[in-house]
Amino acid sequence: MFRMILMSKSSHQKQVTLRERSPATLGRGEQCSVPIPDPHMSRVHAEVLVVAGVATVRDLGSSNGTFVNGRRVQQQALKNGDVITVGAQEIRFLASPSVVPNGVRLALVA
């Protein structure tokens, strides 16, 4: 199971479960499967896709870029604990429900 934790400066965090061959689109547009109201993001900024058990993030031509662990990427396979940055939003990628990197505090948001 793959998940993304949208980390916020407040105590409100959102968890998104990723499904095989079902892209999670990130952006400020309402058409995105994971809409994020961030003025530094493009309407459709990036997508995370799981194929054959490998999760990959891909920039969709955004203005400000997509970063994994602080490095700008066009496309990047993800590992447990990686941090995706899109706009001002940080997203922690988790590769297993039982593995949470040290220092990460989870709060479930409905």
Side-chain angles (χ1 to χ4, degrees):
M1 174 191 269
F2 297 111
R3 296 177 295 151
M4 295 186 302
I5 307 297
L6 283 70
M7 302 181 297
S8 93
K9 293 180 177 30
S10 71
S11 62
H12 294 49
Q13 297 180 347
K14 181 178 179 181
Q15 177 175 287
V16 176
T17 300
L18 300 170
R19 295 181 181 16
E20 183 81 18
R21 297 192 181 275
S22 180
T25 53
L26 311 170
R28 61 182 165 83
E30 292 180 13
Q31 72 272 32
C32 292
S33 59
V34 184
I36 302 169
D38 179 343
H40 302 289
M41 292 182 70
S42 296
R43 284 183 183 85
V44 181
H45 194 104
E47 76 174 3
V48 178
L49 179 64
V50 178
V51 176
V54 177
T56 303
V57 64
R58 181 171 63 105
D59 186 85
L60 297 175
S62 68
S63 299
N64 293 326
T66 299
F67 298 79
V68 175
N69 300 326
R71 197 182 103 224
R72 190 173 187 151
V73 299
Q74 287 300 322
Q75 185 167 317
Q76 174 77 42
L78 297 169
K79 301 181 305 287
N80 186 55
D82 280 349
V83 176
I84 304 163
T85 305
V86 285
Q89 178 70 52
E90 288 190 344
I91 302 167
R92 174 85 56 174
F93 173 77
L94 300 176
S96 169
S98 61
V99 178
V100 177
N102 287 337
V104 174
R105 184 177 57 102
L106 300 180
L108 298 179
V109 176

